[in-house]
Amino acid sequence: CKETTAFKSIKQSVKSLNRQIERLEESMEQKIEEHEPELYHRLKTIPGIGVKTAVFLIVITNGFKQFESSKQVSSYLGLSPSVRTSGSSVRGQSRITKSGNSHIRNLLFLSSFTASKYNPACKSLYERITQKGKSKKLALIAVANKLLKQAFAIAKSGKSYDAEYISVLRGH
């Protein structure tokens, strides 16, 4: 009898916390709509970037205002690769630095699943990496980094996502 009472209490607490989280996320979205509406809507045009990811990218990077390059953003969020070495003989496998905010890295990683299917640039990157025999996880991390680069470009250019932009640059 005590276990069921404790279980019900915990279940109610979790439900209450989930409602609070929902309200806070809605509040964040409203604040972003007030202060950065253009950037918010442009970021959501990127295939793979949803509401939560767009909101968190704007909040965590302050609208990309303090960054001059996508490499700086990638490093700030902990998505940049780091090579593990020790002297001249030990060469470890490259990994991401994981130095930044883990929540936004997780959102970008989850976004990479959708982007690897519906975002043309991300899809070709994913296929190129997996065809080389690399792991799917490594390819998804690369796609997450690509999404971050696209978000940075959109933030700095003031333009919405355009799937044809790359082919125009290459002359196709």
Side-chain angles (χ1 to χ4, degrees):
C1 195
K2 286 183 181 179
E3 288 180 13
T4 58
T5 306
F7 183 73
K8 285 180 184 177
S9 175
I10 290 171
K11 206 171 174 181
Q12 286 176 339
S13 294
V14 168
K15 198 181 275 189
S16 173
L17 288 171
N18 283 334
R19 279 195 299 263
Q20 286 178 354
I21 289 169
E22 257 181 53
R23 284 194 296 269
L24 286 170
E25 285 176 349
E26 287 171 7
S27 174
M28 281 176 63
E29 189 178 349
Q30 288 172 351
K31 294 288 182 195
I32 293 295
E33 283 277 5
E34 285 176 32
H35 298 285
E36 291 282 355
E38 298 87 16
L39 178 57
Y40 174 62
H41 291 288
R42 285 197 317 267
L43 287 177
K44 291 192 309 180
T45 64
I46 302 171
I49 300 282
V51 171
K52 276 186 182 180
T53 308
V55 167
F56 276 93
L57 275 173
I58 293 170
V59 169
I60 289 172
T61 64
N62 191 23
F64 297 94
K65 291 177 184 134
Q66 66 227 33
F67 300 102
E68 294 175 22
S69 72
S70 60
K71 286 183 180 182
Q72 288 177 335
V73 181
S74 180
S75 179
Y76 177 72
L77 297 180
L79 276 172
S80 58
S82 78
V83 180
R84 296 171 190 255
T85 59
S86 176
S88 60
S89 61
V90 178
R91 286 182 181 81
Q93 199 171 12
S94 294
R95 301 189 189 287
I96 59 172
T97 58
K98 296 185 182 179
S99 59
N101 186 300
S102 62
H103 188 70
I104 191 65
R105 267 197 318 278
N106 187 43
L107 285 172
L108 285 166
F109 184 73
L110 292 173
S111 297
S112 69
F113 285 91
T114 304
S116 64
K117 289 186 177 104
Y118 302 107
N119 185 321
C122 293
K123 184 177 182 176
S124 69
L125 175 67
Y126 179 82
E127 289 170 354
R128 194 169 57 246
I129 291 172
T130 54
Q131 285 173 357
K132 287 182 181 176
K134 303 287 184 181
S135 75
K136 290 180 180 179
K137 185 175 181 183
L138 180 123
L140 288 170
I141 291 169
V143 168
N145 216 340
K146 181 75 166 179
L147 280 173
L148 190 57
K149 288 178 182 179
Q150 289 178 341
F152 177 79
I154 282 173
K156 291 299 182 180
S157 71
K159 297 178 182 173
S160 293
Y161 176 82
D162 181 8
E164 301 299 314
Y165 183 72
I166 294 298
S167 60
V168 168
L169 285 178
R170 291 182 182 161
H172 293 111

